[in-house]
């Protein structure tokens, strides 16, 4: 009997071990060990950039916002006419292109003279689209002022306030606008980094891209001009209007600037090998703005490479770890955003990056964000997004490890999952949890059923063995009785 009890106990231990294995949370975690991470951190090194003569310079990747090179990028400087990038951006965001812009006396008489202009007249009327081409190609100051008044509803100061509000919204910290066209003003300054942030936002707009990429445009006759007005792009890296010596094959547009106080300023956009780069140089000597911009573009295109995250990320595999619960429900209805990219030095490997999970930008469709870094620099992010598929399983436990008991129904849609995750994040701020799927429950149930079957077989065999022994004992007793009777009969016969 003791042997049977030992066997049953052993069966239950096996079942318990099976439950422990299959019940462990499946999570996704980086597949590199600590020693590998340390080696990668030691090897990670950002390329050394070239020397440029500009007072301030920066080059930023438009897709990720990663700064590939910078020099004195946070010093506020006079921006000159690159200011008009912000003016054009606000006009595109707040108005329709076919709206009619009216030229006031202030727009005409205070913004022409010795400044860049296209000689508009008092009470002249043009469409907003025509004005924006004049602003970005010919740097027309009177058009910039007229657009500012139009967007501000006739209130010029309101437009200036809009410029500063937009700068703050984009994360600019060393910028203050005091006019819409960049004419010299002690209270009108922008840093190279802030100008890159503004330009990055502008290049996202398809109409802005079209305007800055236009080499030549013609304004048709207006109520004040009987002849068309030709416009030529003054940016020498995309237009040969002032010569071909500075043309750059990968340039897709930009904006020039110059005043005696600011020197030469230049914002340029270029595309190559899947990269869209933004270069800002400020405080340059004549011609130096183009030489520096070319040098910086060549350096970045030669030394950096874009990676699609969904096509390259292989480190998040199922493990027995529960440290990272962003991916608890991954297989069912979530994936990495297919368009997410990061940018790295050409000598680096995608797996050289380090990642963290952020829940700061979660929504019904975004479950979390992978934040990638290399050599201490953030090089891009990738959202983990829902696919819209219905889910047939749902975690029993919250990230804190508690078990839900109030709601017995299984919620299968992605929005419920996002809500569960956000609630857990606010309550505990932890990234660990317990999650058991239906498949795991079936495995556990199968293990328990097998254990029960084994116990029944043992019980059946034990009972049969006992019956066998009882029958044998009865046969032995009858045999002994018969044998004794025979002995007694023999003795009586004597």
């Amino acid at each position: 009997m003791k042997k049977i009890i030992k066997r049953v106990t052993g069966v239950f231990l096996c079942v318990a071990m099976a439950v422990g294995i299959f019940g462990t949370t499946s999570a996704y975690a980086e597949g590199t060990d600590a020693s590998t991470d340390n080696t990668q951190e030691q090897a990670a090194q950002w390329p050394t950039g070239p020397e440029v003569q500009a007072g301030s310079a920066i080059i930023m990747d438009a897709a990720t916002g990663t700064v590939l090179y910078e020099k004195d990028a946070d010093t506020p400087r006079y921006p000159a006419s690159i200011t008009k990038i912000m003016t054009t951006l606000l006009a595109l965001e707040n108005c329709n292109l076919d709206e009619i812009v009216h030229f006031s006396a202030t727009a005409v008489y205070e913004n022409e003279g010795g400044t860049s202009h296209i000689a508009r007249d008092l009470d002249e009327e043009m469409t907003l689209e025509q004005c924006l081409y004049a602003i970005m190609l010919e740097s027309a100051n009177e058009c910039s002022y007229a657009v500012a008044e139009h967007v501000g509803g006739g209130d010029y100061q309101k437009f200036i306030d809009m410029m500063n509000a937009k700068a703050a919204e984009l994360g600019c910290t060393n910028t203050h606008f005091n006019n819409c066209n960049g004419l010299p003003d002690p209270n009108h300054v922008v840093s190279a980094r802030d100008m890159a942030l503004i330009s990055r936002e502008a290049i996202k707009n398809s109409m802005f891209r079209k305007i800055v990429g236009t080499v030549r445009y013609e304004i048709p006759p207006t109520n004040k001009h009987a002849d068309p007005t030709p416009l030529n792009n003054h940016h020498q890296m995309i237009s040969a209007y002032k010569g071909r010596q500075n043309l750059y094959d990968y340039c897709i547009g930009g904006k020039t600037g110059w005043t005696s106080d600011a020197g030469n300023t230049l914002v340029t956009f270029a595309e190559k090998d899947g990269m869209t780069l933004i270069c800002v140089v400020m405080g340059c000597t004549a011609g130096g703005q183009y030489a520096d911009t070319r040098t910086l573009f060549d350096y970045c295109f030669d030394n950096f490479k874009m990676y699609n995250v969904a096509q390259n990320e292989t480190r998040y595999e199922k493990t027995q770890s529960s440290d990272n619960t962003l991916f608890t429900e991954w297989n069912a209805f979530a994936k990495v955003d297919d368009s997410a990219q990061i940018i790295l030095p050409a000598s680096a490997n995608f797996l050289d990056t380090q990642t963290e999970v952020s829940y700061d930008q979660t929504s019904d469709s975004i479950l979390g964000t992978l934040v990638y870094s290399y050599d201490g620099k953030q090089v891009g992010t990738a959202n983990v997004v829902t696919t819209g598929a219905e889910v047939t399983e749902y975690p029993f436990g919250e990230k804190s490890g508690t078990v839900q008991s109030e709601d017995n129904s299984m919620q299968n849609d992605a929005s419920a999952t996002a809500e569960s995750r956000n609630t857990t994040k606010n309550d505990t701020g932890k990234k660990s949890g317990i999650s058991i799927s239906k498949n795991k429950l079936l495995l556990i149930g199968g293990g328990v059923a097998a254990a029960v079957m084994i116990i029944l077989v043992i019980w059946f065999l034990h009972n049969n063995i006992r019956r066998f022994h009882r029958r044998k004992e009865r046969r032995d007793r009858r045999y002994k009785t018969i044998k004794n009777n025979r002995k007694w009969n023999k003795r009586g016969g004597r």
Side-chain angles (χ1 to χ4, degrees):
M1 187 65 184
K2 289 182 180 180
K3 290 182 179 180
I4 295 173
I5 294 175
K6 287 181 180 180
R7 290 175 182 174
V8 173
T9 303
V11 171
F12 274 106
L13 287 174
C14 291
V15 173
M17 290 174 66
V19 172
I21 293 173
F22 292 117
T24 303
T25 301
S26 289
Y28 290 75
E30 292 188 20
T32 54
D33 58 25
S35 61
T36 303
D37 288 342
N38 291 335
T39 302
Q40 291 173 345
E41 289 177 2
Q42 292 172 1
Q45 186 174 0
W46 205 257
T48 302
E51 293 291 333
V52 294
Q53 62 87 25
S56 293
I58 192 169
I59 192 159
M60 177 183 288
D61 172 55
T64 64
T66 303
V67 173
L68 308 182
Y69 173 93
E70 62 179 283
K71 174 187 175 182
D72 200 21
D74 294 311
T75 298
R77 295 181 181 272
Y78 293 130
S81 286
I82 59 176
T83 297
K84 292 168 179 143
I85 292 176
M86 175 64 93
T87 302
T88 300
L89 173 62
L90 287 176
L92 290 171
E93 289 184 340
N94 291 279
C95 300
N96 296 320
L97 293 174
D98 58 356
E99 293 180 20
I100 301 300
V101 177
H102 180 269
F103 283 76
S104 68
T106 304
V108 173
Y109 299 130
E110 294 187 12
N111 294 279
E112 290 190 355
T115 71
S116 57
H117 61 87
I118 60 169
R120 296 299 91 178
D121 292 331
L122 178 64
D123 295 328
E124 188 159 1
E125 292 181 342
M126 290 166 45
T127 66
L128 179 69
E129 180 177 1
Q130 294 162 2
C131 289
L132 295 183
Y133 274 102
I135 292 169
M136 295 305 292
L137 272 59
E138 290 281 353
S139 204
N141 288 321
E142 81 276 38
C143 292
S144 184
Y145 197 97
V147 166
E149 287 185 320
H150 179 80
V151 177
D155 186 345
Y156 178 74
Q157 185 57 48
K158 179 181 177 181
F159 184 82
I160 303 304
D161 293 340
M162 291 172 65
M163 294 176 77
N164 287 309
K166 186 67 175 181
E169 176 189 327
L170 296 176
C172 300
T173 56
N174 293 289
T175 291
H176 185 269
F177 291 111
N178 211 35
N179 62 60
C180 64
N181 44 32
L183 292 174
D185 185 325
N187 293 318
H188 186 86
V189 292
V190 182
S191 70
R193 189 186 310 278
D194 290 353
M195 198 67 238
L197 291 173
I198 295 166
S199 300
R200 184 190 179 207
E201 184 68 15
I203 202 66
K204 294 176 183 177
N205 187 291
S206 60
M207 189 62 197
F208 180 89
R209 291 173 68 99
K210 180 181 178 181
I211 292 172
V212 298
T214 300
V215 174
R216 192 177 187 278
Y217 183 86
E218 186 174 86
I219 299 174
T222 68
N223 63 322
K224 295 292 183 177
H225 283 81
D227 297 324
T229 304
L231 306 176
N232 291 285
N233 197 325
H234 286 219
H235 197 301
Q236 296 181 30
M237 298 188 86
I238 195 173
S239 171
Y241 174 63
K242 292 188 175 182
R244 304 183 63 85
Q245 68 275 14
N246 291 315
L247 289 176
Y248 189 69
D249 289 342
Y250 310 112
C251 180
I252 61 171
K255 182 69 189 78
T256 60
W258 179 86
T259 66
S260 57
D261 295 308
N264 287 277
T265 62
L266 190 69
V267 174
T268 312
F269 307 99
E271 287 184 347
K272 182 185 178 185
D273 298 333
M275 286 185 280
T276 300
L277 302 183
I278 303 161
C279 183
V280 180
V281 292
M282 304 177 72
C284 299
T285 58
Q289 72 273 33
Y290 292 110
D292 284 351
T293 298
R294 180 183 294 273
T295 296
L296 291 174
F297 276 144
D298 287 345
Y299 155 72
C300 290
F301 286 134
D302 290 342
N303 288 279
F304 292 90
K305 181 180 178 181
M306 297 296 298
Y307 288 86
N308 180 281
V309 176
Q311 295 174 3
N312 289 278
E313 182 55 84
T314 60
R315 291 170 295 182
Y316 286 91
E317 304 290 347
K318 285 188 176 182
T319 69
Q320 297 300 321
S321 170
S322 60
D323 293 338
N324 190 341
T325 57
L326 170 63
F327 307 99
T328 304
E329 310 91 7
W330 177 297
N331 288 336
F333 64 95
K335 66 174 184 177
V336 171
D337 183 0
D338 292 332
S339 64
Q341 294 179 302
I342 66 171
I343 188 166
L344 290 172
S347 60
N349 186 282
F350 185 91
L351 297 181
D352 293 336
T353 58
Q354 292 79 46
T355 62
E356 293 182 356
V357 179
S358 170
Y359 294 97
D360 294 339
Q361 303 296 325
T362 57
S363 66
D364 287 347
S365 61
I366 299 176
L367 304 180
T369 303
L370 298 176
V371 181
Y372 287 84
S373 61
Y374 176 85
D375 193 25
K377 299 177 185 288
Q378 183 174 318
V379 293
T381 61
N383 287 332
V384 178
V385 297
T386 58
T387 63
E390 292 187 358
V391 185
T392 57
E393 63 184 38
Y394 190 78
F396 283 18
E398 299 283 354
K399 288 177 188 166
S400 61
T402 60
V403 177
Q404 298 176 356
S405 58
E406 295 180 358
D407 186 3
N408 294 324
S409 63
M410 291 297 213
Q411 303 180 47
N412 295 326
D413 60 301
S415 60
T417 305
E419 181 181 352
S420 172
R421 185 191 60 260
N422 290 336
T423 302
T424 304
K425 176 184 66 176
N426 294 333
D427 291 342
T428 66
K430 296 182 180 179
K431 295 182 180 178
S432 61
I434 298 175
S435 155
I436 305 176
S437 68
K438 284 185 176 180
N439 290 336
K440 293 176 188 175
L441 289 175
L442 290 173
L443 288 172
I444 294 170
V448 173
V452 171
M453 290 296 295
I454 292 171
I455 293 171
L456 290 174
V457 169
I458 293 173
W459 176 80
F460 176 77
L461 292 174
H462 174 67
N463 283 344
N464 285 340
I465 291 171
R466 291 185 62 185
R467 289 174 183 172
F468 173 78
H469 284 302
R470 288 171 184 166
R471 290 174 182 173
K472 185 175 182 300
E473 287 176 357
R474 285 197 294 269
R475 286 197 301 269
D476 289 343
R477 282 197 297 269
R478 283 198 296 271
Y479 173 77
K480 187 176 182 180
T481 301
I482 293 170
K483 186 177 181 180
N484 290 335
N485 288 338
R486 288 177 178 175
K487 288 182 179 179
W488 184 82
N489 290 332
K490 287 180 180 180
R491 284 196 300 267
R494 275 199 239 108

